Amino acid sequence: MFRDTYLENVFNELQQRNANENEFLQAALEVLQSLELVVEKNPHLKKEGIFERLLEPERFIQFRVPWVDDAGNVRVNRGFRVEFNSAVGPYKGGLRFHPSVNASIIKFLGFEQIFKNSLTGLSMGGGKGGSDFNPKGKSDGEVMRFCQSFMSELFRHIGENTDVPAGDIGVGAREIGFLFGQYKKLTNTFTGVLTGKDLSYGGSLFRTQATGFGLCYYVQNMLKKLKNTSLEGKTVVVSGSGNVAIYAAFKATELGAKVVAMSDSNGYVYDKDGIKLDLIKQIKEVKRGRIKEYLNEVGSAKYGENCKDIWNVACDVALPCATQNELDENSAETLIKNGVICVAEGANMPSTANAISKFLEAGIAFGPGKAANAGGVACSGLEMAQNSMRYSWTFEEVDAKIKFIMKNIFEFGYEASKEYGEEGNMVLGSNIAGFLKVCRAMQAQGVV
Ligand code: NDP
């Protein structure tokens, strides 16, 4: 698994201490394997315990979240916040509300966030949080009471200069509003402690679009450099139909591509004429409905019950934008067989390790999530800056900054891939580029 016995030992120990945390171990293994060449060039990193420190969160908080449902029953969920690494700035990372959330999911997301935030070039450390609460099917009142209870514990751990959460799966503008209101009430302060806020109280223009648009900016840079082409005229498949997926699909379409399939956790729709994105927005954002309802309006579209089958749809560019491990080795083989030239991850860790190996072996331009989907957190970093200045930039100003940041993220990763002998391997390059900045900051700050 490793050429270097030191890194192998580090990983073995991590496995022993975090048994059963499969997602966290998967994320850690990928990063450690990318860093073998860095260790070979810099053997002193071993003595400095950089990897052991990087893999152990600075703080991991787990708490009870009791709340009362509409029928008057007391319900109990589990809340989490991991404050993984603050070497380059305050902890920053979203909150996820989904029944699958557990310590492993939160730790994998927090660990990835360290490198993603570093790649943006902004001053943000890595963190993540959430709960196994399922907002689906809950009333606004239930969601509000849950958010208030969640914040009643979280507030003591966060702050505008300490830890700044944002949204993720199941946490959008509604939830951020309830969380912010409770934080303000408990602390009697109005600060930029959360990002993803509504524009009326300090949110940034472009935040809603940032991850999806940023993903397409990354893809444009990658296609140009690695394949000498662009999104113009390409057929695209986008999994998911949430925040990231919808805006990735909009931007890809604006850039001249045709998005032919999208999904939700129940199934996928295929529309050979190009998905009607306003209709998807209406179904998923306004009605909070199921993607299957697309067929009520577009009779010629097709629906498949298994969301994973979306990868059987032939395309030039695949953008997995739903959830972790949604694209496995078999799906990767099918995509390659059908002629895919580029895969870029809008979601966090949507491709399994074996799927990534297949893409790299086949010479597919592959953009890993920690680089390709960093537009969202970059925009959150800009929201923090605007809040500190008590000022706001226009949509066009933020868009231009994100475009610039995504270009840099691609180039940092590309240059590192070249320097370390695997030109165009953006997994290796992005992990190395993200790591080196964090590593320098950790070395400068001593053993803390
Ligand atoms: P949302 O909650 O807005 O949307 C998630 C979407 O994925 C929904 O359409 C959901 O369907 C669908 N989905 C969930 N599981 C599956 C599955 N197994 N197969 C197919 N579809 C599925 O979340 P986001 O769009 O915000 O986040 C999506 C991904 O992007 C996550 O991995 C997140 O961590 C990552 N990300 C998000 C950022 C952001 O700014 N929002 C920033 C960077 C990364 P359903 O409606 O049925 O639940």
Side-chain angles (χ1 to χ4, degrees), residues 120-166:
T120 65
L122 303 173
S123 172
M124 299 183 289
K128 199 82 189 186
S131 172
D132 56 4
F133 172 75
N134 187 359
K136 245 184 237 165
K138 303 287 189 304
S139 69
D140 285 352
E142 288 176 324
V143 171
M144 181 180 74
R145 291 192 292 280
F146 173 81
C147 288
Q148 290 174 340
S149 179
F150 184 85
M151 186 51 86
S152 296
E153 173 58 34
L154 187 69
F155 86 99
R156 65 189 92 249
H157 307 289
I158 62 176
E160 59 175 340
N161 294 315
T162 312
D163 183 354
V164 185

mmCIF file of all heavy atoms in Angstrom, residues 120-166:
data_model
loop_
_atom_site.group_PDB
_atom_site.id
_atom_site.type_symbol
_atom_site.label_atom_id
_atom_site.label_comp_id
_atom_site.label_asym_id
_atom_site.label_seq_id
_atom_site.Cartn_x
_atom_site.Cartn_y
_atom_site.Cartn_z
ATOM 1 N N THR A 120 -7.512 27.319 -1.293
ATOM 2 C CA THR A 120 -8.166 28.571 -1.703
ATOM 3 C C THR A 120 -7.233 29.769 -1.565
ATOM 4 O O THR A 120 -7.489 30.826 -2.128
ATOM 5 C CB THR A 120 -9.425 28.890 -0.864
ATOM 6 O OG1 THR A 120 -9.028 29.138 0.490
ATOM 7 C CG2 THR A 120 -10.454 27.784 -0.921
ATOM 8 N N GLY A 121 -6.177 29.620 -0.744
ATOM 9 C CA GLY A 121 -5.270 30.739 -0.503
ATOM 10 C C GLY A 121 -5.798 31.702 0.543
ATOM 11 O O GLY A 121 -5.134 32.675 0.889
ATOM 12 N N LEU A 122 -7.005 31.432 1.086
ATOM 13 C CA LEU A 122 -7.572 32.309 2.110
ATOM 14 C C LEU A 122 -7.197 31.766 3.487
ATOM 15 O O LEU A 122 -6.745 30.626 3.625
ATOM 16 C CB LEU A 122 -9.103 32.380 1.959
ATOM 17 C CG LEU A 122 -9.599 32.852 0.580
ATOM 18 C CD1 LEU A 122 -11.113 32.724 0.480
ATOM 19 C CD2 LEU A 122 -9.177 34.288 0.330
ATOM 20 N N SER A 123 -7.413 32.595 4.515
ATOM 21 C CA SER A 123 -7.002 32.203 5.858
ATOM 22 C C SER A 123 -8.110 31.421 6.563
ATOM 23 O O SER A 123 -8.921 31.989 7.298
ATOM 24 C CB SER A 123 -6.653 33.483 6.635
ATOM 25 O OG SER A 123 -6.418 33.168 7.980
ATOM 26 N N MET A 124 -8.170 30.126 6.289
ATOM 27 C CA MET A 124 -9.210 29.285 6.893
ATOM 28 C C MET A 124 -8.637 27.912 7.245
ATOM 29 O O MET A 124 -8.033 27.252 6.399
ATOM 30 C CB MET A 124 -10.372 29.081 5.908
ATOM 31 C CG MET A 124 -11.077 30.357 5.472
ATOM 32 S SD MET A 124 -12.479 30.012 4.380
ATOM 33 C CE MET A 124 -11.641 29.493 2.884
ATOM 34 N N GLY A 125 -8.835 27.509 8.503
ATOM 35 C CA GLY A 125 -8.456 26.167 8.919
ATOM 36 C C GLY A 125 -9.578 25.188 8.575
ATOM 37 O O GLY A 125 -10.565 25.568 7.948
ATOM 38 N N GLY A 126 -9.424 23.941 9.005
ATOM 39 C CA GLY A 126 -10.407 22.919 8.631
ATOM 40 C C GLY A 126 -11.313 22.500 9.774
ATOM 41 O O GLY A 126 -10.834 22.196 10.876
ATOM 42 N N GLY A 127 -12.619 22.477 9.530
ATOM 43 C CA GLY A 127 -13.582 21.975 10.515
ATOM 44 C C GLY A 127 -14.810 21.445 9.804
ATOM 45 O O GLY A 127 -14.958 21.618 8.586
ATOM 46 N N LYS A 128 -15.683 20.797 10.515
ATOM 47 C CA LYS A 128 -16.939 20.311 9.921
ATOM 48 C C LYS A 128 -17.858 19.901 11.066
ATOM 49 O O LYS A 128 -17.388 19.632 12.180
ATOM 50 C CB LYS A 128 -16.669 19.094 9.025
ATOM 51 C CG LYS A 128 -17.768 18.799 8.036
ATOM 52 C CD LYS A 128 -17.694 19.657 6.795
ATOM 53 C CE LYS A 128 -18.929 19.474 5.933
ATOM 54 N NZ LYS A 128 -18.817 20.183 4.644
ATOM 55 N N GLY A 129 -19.148 19.836 10.829
ATOM 56 C CA GLY A 129 -20.055 19.423 11.903
ATOM 57 C C GLY A 129 -21.370 18.959 11.340
ATOM 58 O O GLY A 129 -21.546 18.877 10.126
ATOM 59 N N GLY A 130 -22.293 18.667 12.238
ATOM 60 C CA GLY A 130 -23.605 18.253 11.755
ATOM 61 C C GLY A 130 -24.340 17.410 12.760
ATOM 62 O O GLY A 130 -24.009 17.381 13.954
ATOM 63 N N SER A 131 -25.348 16.714 12.230
ATOM 64 C CA SER A 131 -26.196 15.895 13.088
ATOM 65 C C SER A 131 -26.860 14.815 12.261
ATOM 66 O O SER A 131 -27.036 14.971 11.041
ATOM 67 C CB SER A 131 -27.274 16.779 13.726
ATOM 68 O OG SER A 131 -28.216 15.974 14.402
ATOM 69 N N ASP A 132 -27.288 13.742 12.954
ATOM 70 C CA ASP A 132 -28.040 12.686 12.263
ATOM 71 C C ASP A 132 -29.527 13.043 12.153
ATOM 72 O O ASP A 132 -30.352 12.202 11.791
ATOM 73 C CB ASP A 132 -27.840 11.331 12.957
ATOM 74 C CG ASP A 132 -28.218 11.353 14.423
ATOM 75 O OD1 ASP A 132 -28.719 12.396 14.916
ATOM 76 O OD2 ASP A 132 -28.017 10.320 15.093
ATOM 77 N N PHE A 133 -29.875 14.275 12.427
ATOM 78 C CA PHE A 133 -31.245 14.781 12.245
ATOM 79 C C PHE A 133 -31.597 14.786 10.751
ATOM 80 O O PHE A 133 -30.776 15.183 9.924
ATOM 81 C CB PHE A 133 -31.303 16.216 12.795
ATOM 82 C CG PHE A 133 -32.593 16.958 12.528
ATOM 83 C CD1 PHE A 133 -33.744 16.650 13.243
ATOM 84 C CD2 PHE A 133 -32.646 17.975 11.573
ATOM 85 C CE1 PHE A 133 -34.926 17.361 13.013
ATOM 86 C CE2 PHE A 133 -33.826 18.678 11.350
ATOM 87 C CZ PHE A 133 -34.970 18.375 12.064
ATOM 88 N N ASN A 134 -32.817 14.349 10.422
ATOM 89 C CA ASN A 134 -33.249 14.348 9.023
ATOM 90 C C ASN A 134 -34.290 15.445 8.795
ATOM 91 O O ASN A 134 -35.434 15.305 9.217
ATOM 92 C CB ASN A 134 -33.855 12.977 8.673
ATOM 93 C CG ASN A 134 -34.174 12.862 7.197
ATOM 94 O OD1 ASN A 134 -33.966 13.818 6.432
ATOM 95 N ND2 ASN A 134 -34.677 11.710 6.789
ATOM 96 N N PRO A 135 -33.918 16.543 8.121
ATOM 97 C CA PRO A 135 -34.892 17.635 7.936
ATOM 98 C C PRO A 135 -36.030 17.268 6.981
ATOM 99 O O PRO A 135 -37.049 17.930 6.975
ATOM 100 C CB PRO A 135 -34.052 18.779 7.332
ATOM 101 C CG PRO A 135 -32.676 18.271 7.170
ATOM 102 C CD PRO A 135 -32.633 16.815 7.485
ATOM 103 N N LYS A 136 -35.827 16.179 6.202
ATOM 104 C CA LYS A 136 -36.857 15.808 5.214
ATOM 105 C C LYS A 136 -38.166 15.468 5.923
ATOM 106 O O LYS A 136 -38.182 14.685 6.877
ATOM 107 C CB LYS A 136 -36.386 14.586 4.424
ATOM 108 C CG LYS A 136 -36.170 14.903 2.975
ATOM 109 C CD LYS A 136 -35.805 13.674 2.181
ATOM 110 C CE LYS A 136 -34.494 13.889 1.479
ATOM 111 N NZ LYS A 136 -33.868 12.710 0.977
ATOM 112 N N GLY A 137 -39.258 16.063 5.470
ATOM 113 C CA GLY A 137 -40.571 15.745 6.026
ATOM 114 C C GLY A 137 -40.869 16.462 7.334
ATOM 115 O O GLY A 137 -41.930 16.276 7.926
ATOM 116 N N LYS A 138 -39.935 17.273 7.826
ATOM 117 C CA LYS A 138 -40.181 18.006 9.077
ATOM 118 C C LYS A 138 -40.795 19.374 8.738
ATOM 119 O O LYS A 138 -40.503 19.961 7.699
ATOM 120 C CB LYS A 138 -38.866 18.244 9.843
ATOM 121 C CG LYS A 138 -38.075 16.987 10.171
ATOM 122 C CD LYS A 138 -38.716 16.171 11.270
ATOM 123 C CE LYS A 138 -37.815 15.036 11.760
ATOM 124 N NZ LYS A 138 -37.347 14.099 10.727
ATOM 125 N N SER A 139 -41.618 19.874 9.663
ATOM 126 C CA SER A 139 -42.211 21.205 9.457
ATOM 127 C C SER A 139 -41.154 22.276 9.732
ATOM 128 O O SER A 139 -40.119 21.994 10.365
ATOM 129 C CB SER A 139 -43.384 21.392 10.417
ATOM 130 O OG SER A 139 -42.886 21.493 11.738
ATOM 131 N N ASP A 140 -41.434 23.503 9.296
ATOM 132 C CA ASP A 140 -40.499 24.602 9.581
ATOM 133 C C ASP A 140 -40.318 24.764 11.090
ATOM 134 O O ASP A 140 -39.224 25.053 11.571
ATOM 135 C CB ASP A 140 -41.027 25.926 8.989
ATOM 136 C CG ASP A 140 -40.856 25.977 7.481
ATOM 137 O OD1 ASP A 140 -40.203 25.069 6.923
ATOM 138 O OD2 ASP A 140 -41.378 26.910 6.858
ATOM 139 N N GLY A 141 -41.406 24.585 11.840
ATOM 140 C CA GLY A 141 -41.334 24.720 13.302
ATOM 141 C C GLY A 141 -40.411 23.672 13.914
ATOM 142 O O GLY A 141 -39.623 23.964 14.816
ATOM 143 N N GLU A 142 -40.502 22.451 13.413
ATOM 144 C CA GLU A 142 -39.639 21.376 13.937
ATOM 145 C C GLU A 142 -38.173 21.666 13.606
ATOM 146 O O GLU A 142 -37.283 21.486 14.447
ATOM 147 C CB GLU A 142 -40.077 20.028 13.360
ATOM 148 C CG GLU A 142 -41.399 19.547 13.945
ATOM 149 C CD GLU A 142 -41.917 18.255 13.319
ATOM 150 O OE1 GLU A 142 -41.736 18.065 12.093
ATOM 151 O OE2 GLU A 142 -42.512 17.447 14.045
ATOM 152 N N VAL A 143 -37.932 22.107 12.358
ATOM 153 C CA VAL A 143 -36.550 22.415 11.957
ATOM 154 C C VAL A 143 -36.021 23.555 12.831
ATOM 155 O O VAL A 143 -34.878 23.514 13.310
ATOM 156 C CB VAL A 143 -36.478 22.774 10.454
ATOM 157 C CG1 VAL A 143 -35.103 23.309 10.079
ATOM 158 C CG2 VAL A 143 -36.823 21.556 9.599
ATOM 159 N N MET A 144 -36.854 24.556 13.109
ATOM 160 C CA MET A 144 -36.401 25.686 13.935
ATOM 161 C C MET A 144 -36.067 25.213 15.360
ATOM 162 O O MET A 144 -35.007 25.555 15.892
ATOM 163 C CB MET A 144 -37.466 26.782 13.991
ATOM 164 C CG MET A 144 -37.028 27.982 14.818
ATOM 165 S SD MET A 144 -38.260 29.281 14.895
ATOM 166 C CE MET A 144 -39.449 28.554 16.009
ATOM 167 N N ARG A 145 -36.940 24.407 15.945
ATOM 168 C CA ARG A 145 -36.667 23.958 17.324
ATOM 169 C C ARG A 145 -35.411 23.093 17.376
ATOM 170 O O ARG A 145 -34.618 23.162 18.304
ATOM 171 C CB ARG A 145 -37.887 23.222 17.887
ATOM 172 C CG ARG A 145 -39.077 24.160 18.144
ATOM 173 C CD ARG A 145 -40.155 23.492 18.970
ATOM 174 N NE ARG A 145 -40.834 22.410 18.278
ATOM 175 C CZ ARG A 145 -41.812 22.570 17.367
ATOM 176 N NH1 ARG A 145 -42.212 23.780 17.023
ATOM 177 N NH2 ARG A 145 -42.376 21.523 16.798
ATOM 178 N N PHE A 146 -35.227 22.266 16.340
ATOM 179 C CA PHE A 146 -34.011 21.458 16.306
ATOM 180 C C PHE A 146 -32.777 22.369 16.224
ATOM 181 O O PHE A 146 -31.804 22.192 16.970
ATOM 182 C CB PHE A 146 -34.020 20.480 15.118
ATOM 183 C CG PHE A 146 -32.710 19.788 14.997
ATOM 184 C CD1 PHE A 146 -32.414 18.706 15.804
ATOM 185 C CD2 PHE A 146 -31.720 20.285 14.150
ATOM 186 C CE1 PHE A 146 -31.153 18.119 15.768
ATOM 187 C CE2 PHE A 146 -30.462 19.713 14.112
ATOM 188 C CZ PHE A 146 -30.183 18.620 14.918
ATOM 189 N N CYS A 147 -32.813 23.337 15.298
ATOM 190 C CA CYS A 147 -31.648 24.226 15.105
ATOM 191 C C CYS A 147 -31.346 25.010 16.385
ATOM 192 O O CYS A 147 -30.174 25.203 16.753
ATOM 193 C CB CYS A 147 -31.900 25.203 13.957
ATOM 194 S SG CYS A 147 -31.856 24.434 12.334
ATOM 195 N N GLN A 148 -32.378 25.435 17.080
ATOM 196 C CA GLN A 148 -32.164 26.198 18.315
ATOM 197 C C GLN A 148 -31.492 25.325 19.375
ATOM 198 O O GLN A 148 -30.576 25.765 20.071
ATOM 199 C CB GLN A 148 -33.499 26.761 18.817
ATOM 200 C CG GLN A 148 -34.029 27.872 17.899
ATOM 201 C CD GLN A 148 -35.414 28.377 18.245
ATOM 202 O OE1 GLN A 148 -36.179 27.694 18.932
ATOM 203 N NE2 GLN A 148 -35.755 29.565 17.763
ATOM 204 N N SER A 149 -31.943 24.077 19.457
ATOM 205 C CA SER A 149 -31.336 23.180 20.446
ATOM 206 C C SER A 149 -29.880 22.860 20.067
ATOM 207 O O SER A 149 -28.979 22.842 20.914
ATOM 208 C CB SER A 149 -32.161 21.894 20.537
ATOM 209 O OG SER A 149 -31.581 21.018 21.463
ATOM 210 N N PHE A 150 -29.656 22.645 18.782
ATOM 211 C CA PHE A 150 -28.309 22.338 18.281
ATOM 212 C C PHE A 150 -27.356 23.485 18.628
ATOM 213 O O PHE A 150 -26.266 23.281 19.154
ATOM 214 C CB PHE A 150 -28.390 22.131 16.768
ATOM 215 C CG PHE A 150 -27.105 21.709 16.102
ATOM 216 C CD1 PHE A 150 -26.733 20.377 16.038
ATOM 217 C CD2 PHE A 150 -26.266 22.650 15.516
ATOM 218 C CE1 PHE A 150 -25.548 19.990 15.410
ATOM 219 C CE2 PHE A 150 -25.093 22.282 14.892
ATOM 220 C CZ PHE A 150 -24.735 20.941 14.834
ATOM 221 N N MET A 151 -27.813 24.725 18.370
ATOM 222 C CA MET A 151 -26.952 25.887 18.618
ATOM 223 C C MET A 151 -26.775 26.145 20.122
ATOM 224 O O MET A 151 -25.762 26.719 20.533
ATOM 225 C CB MET A 151 -27.528 27.119 17.915
ATOM 226 C CG MET A 151 -26.647 28.355 17.983
ATOM 227 S SD MET A 151 -24.926 28.063 17.455
ATOM 228 C CE MET A 151 -25.028 28.297 15.683
ATOM 229 N N SER A 152 -27.738 25.682 20.938
ATOM 230 C CA SER A 152 -27.625 25.922 22.380
ATOM 231 C C SER A 152 -26.394 25.237 22.973
ATOM 232 O O SER A 152 -25.921 25.607 24.041
ATOM 233 C CB SER A 152 -28.889 25.432 23.107
ATOM 234 O OG SER A 152 -29.979 26.197 22.659
ATOM 235 N N GLU A 153 -25.874 24.213 22.296
ATOM 236 C CA GLU A 153 -24.601 23.628 22.714
ATOM 237 C C GLU A 153 -23.445 24.159 21.860
ATOM 238 O O GLU A 153 -22.390 24.531 22.372
ATOM 239 C CB GLU A 153 -24.652 22.105 22.595
ATOM 240 C CG GLU A 153 -23.319 21.414 22.835
ATOM 241 C CD GLU A 153 -22.703 21.712 24.199
ATOM 242 O OE1 GLU A 153 -23.466 21.877 25.178
ATOM 243 O OE2 GLU A 153 -21.460 21.791 24.284
ATOM 244 N N LEU A 154 -23.678 24.257 20.527
ATOM 245 C CA LEU A 154 -22.563 24.605 19.639
ATOM 246 C C LEU A 154 -22.008 26.005 19.912
ATOM 247 O O LEU A 154 -20.814 26.250 19.714
ATOM 248 C CB LEU A 154 -23.030 24.501 18.170
ATOM 249 C CG LEU A 154 -21.918 24.663 17.124
ATOM 250 C CD1 LEU A 154 -20.967 23.459 17.156
ATOM 251 C CD2 LEU A 154 -22.492 24.814 15.711
ATOM 252 N N PHE A 155 -22.865 26.907 20.390
ATOM 253 C CA PHE A 155 -22.451 28.323 20.473
ATOM 254 C C PHE A 155 -21.201 28.520 21.313
ATOM 255 O O PHE A 155 -20.413 29.422 21.062
ATOM 256 C CB PHE A 155 -23.596 29.195 21.024
ATOM 257 C CG PHE A 155 -23.673 29.268 22.517
ATOM 258 C CD1 PHE A 155 -23.137 30.359 23.203
ATOM 259 C CD2 PHE A 155 -24.243 28.253 23.261
ATOM 260 C CE1 PHE A 155 -23.188 30.433 24.582
ATOM 261 C CE2 PHE A 155 -24.303 28.311 24.641
ATOM 262 C CZ PHE A 155 -23.774 29.398 25.304
ATOM 263 N N ARG A 156 -21.006 27.643 22.321
ATOM 264 C CA ARG A 156 -19.850 27.857 23.213
ATOM 265 C C ARG A 156 -18.527 27.466 22.551
ATOM 266 O O ARG A 156 -17.465 27.726 23.094
ATOM 267 C CB ARG A 156 -20.049 27.129 24.550
ATOM 268 C CG ARG A 156 -20.089 25.641 24.466
ATOM 269 C CD ARG A 156 -20.500 24.975 25.790
ATOM 270 N NE ARG A 156 -21.934 24.735 25.889
ATOM 271 C CZ ARG A 156 -22.758 25.376 26.714
ATOM 272 N NH1 ARG A 156 -22.310 26.275 27.537
ATOM 273 N NH2 ARG A 156 -24.043 25.091 26.737
ATOM 274 N N HIS A 157 -18.590 26.804 21.418
ATOM 275 C CA HIS A 157 -17.360 26.333 20.756
ATOM 276 C C HIS A 157 -16.975 27.169 19.540
ATOM 277 O O HIS A 157 -15.898 26.977 18.989
ATOM 278 C CB HIS A 157 -17.538 24.881 20.308
ATOM 279 C CG HIS A 157 -17.989 23.985 21.414
ATOM 280 N ND1 HIS A 157 -17.165 23.625 22.457
ATOM 281 C CD2 HIS A 157 -19.184 23.400 21.655
ATOM 282 C CE1 HIS A 157 -17.841 22.843 23.292
ATOM 283 N NE2 HIS A 157 -19.059 22.694 22.830
ATOM 284 N N ILE A 158 -17.880 28.030 19.062
ATOM 285 C CA ILE A 158 -17.619 28.734 17.797
ATOM 286 C C ILE A 158 -17.487 30.248 18.012
ATOM 287 O O ILE A 158 -17.730 30.739 19.111
ATOM 288 C CB ILE A 158 -18.719 28.438 16.742
ATOM 289 C CG1 ILE A 158 -20.089 28.920 17.220
ATOM 290 C CG2 ILE A 158 -18.758 26.952 16.428
ATOM 291 C CD1 ILE A 158 -21.203 28.741 16.186
ATOM 292 N N GLY A 159 -17.104 30.962 16.978
ATOM 293 C CA GLY A 159 -16.953 32.414 17.065
ATOM 294 C C GLY A 159 -16.339 32.915 15.771
ATOM 295 O O GLY A 159 -15.691 32.138 15.051
ATOM 296 N N GLU A 160 -16.513 34.195 15.472
ATOM 297 C CA GLU A 160 -16.074 34.705 14.167
ATOM 298 C C GLU A 160 -14.573 34.562 13.951
ATOM 299 O O GLU A 160 -14.115 34.518 12.807
ATOM 300 C CB GLU A 160 -16.501 36.165 13.989
ATOM 301 C CG GLU A 160 -15.935 37.059 15.068
ATOM 302 C CD GLU A 160 -16.236 38.536 14.838
ATOM 303 O OE1 GLU A 160 -16.531 38.909 13.697
ATOM 304 O OE2 GLU A 160 -16.142 39.307 15.799
ATOM 305 N N ASN A 161 -13.791 34.508 15.057
ATOM 306 C CA ASN A 161 -12.344 34.326 14.913
ATOM 307 C C ASN A 161 -11.888 32.949 15.383
ATOM 308 O O ASN A 161 -10.687 32.714 15.542
ATOM 309 C CB ASN A 161 -11.591 35.414 15.689
ATOM 310 C CG ASN A 161 -11.837 36.787 15.097
ATOM 311 O OD1 ASN A 161 -11.783 36.956 13.880
ATOM 312 N ND2 ASN A 161 -12.147 37.759 15.936
ATOM 313 N N THR A 162 -12.839 32.077 15.696
ATOM 314 C CA THR A 162 -12.495 30.764 16.246
ATOM 315 C C THR A 162 -12.904 29.646 15.289
ATOM 316 O O THR A 162 -12.085 28.825 14.872
ATOM 317 C CB THR A 162 -13.260 30.532 17.574
ATOM 318 O OG1 THR A 162 -13.112 31.676 18.389
ATOM 319 C CG2 THR A 162 -12.753 29.304 18.298
ATOM 320 N N ASP A 163 -14.172 29.639 14.969
ATOM 321 C CA ASP A 163 -14.737 28.548 14.180
ATOM 322 C C ASP A 163 -16.009 29.086 13.530
ATOM 323 O O ASP A 163 -16.901 29.568 14.234
ATOM 324 C CB ASP A 163 -15.061 27.362 15.104
ATOM 325 C CG ASP A 163 -15.580 26.151 14.353
ATOM 326 O OD1 ASP A 163 -15.809 26.249 13.137
ATOM 327 O OD2 ASP A 163 -15.769 25.093 14.996
ATOM 328 N N VAL A 164 -16.066 29.022 12.201
ATOM 329 C CA VAL A 164 -17.171 29.648 11.460
ATOM 330 C C VAL A 164 -17.880 28.588 10.605
ATOM 331 O O VAL A 164 -17.464 28.325 9.473
ATOM 332 C CB VAL A 164 -16.638 30.794 10.571
ATOM 333 C CG1 VAL A 164 -17.793 31.530 9.888
ATOM 334 C CG2 VAL A 164 -15.814 31.783 11.392
ATOM 335 N N PRO A 165 -18.947 27.964 11.125
ATOM 336 C CA PRO A 165 -19.657 26.952 10.327
ATOM 337 C C PRO A 165 -20.437 27.552 9.168
ATOM 338 O O PRO A 165 -20.653 28.765 9.093
ATOM 339 C CB PRO A 165 -20.621 26.317 11.342
ATOM 340 C CG PRO A 165 -20.149 26.721 12.692
ATOM 341 C CD PRO A 165 -19.479 28.053 12.502
ATOM 342 N N ALA A 166 -20.881 26.675 8.262
ATOM 343 C CA ALA A 166 -21.687 27.066 7.091
ATOM 344 C C ALA A 166 -22.667 25.931 6.826
ATOM 345 O O ALA A 166 -22.860 25.067 7.676
ATOM 346 C CB ALA A 166 -20.750 27.272 5.904
#
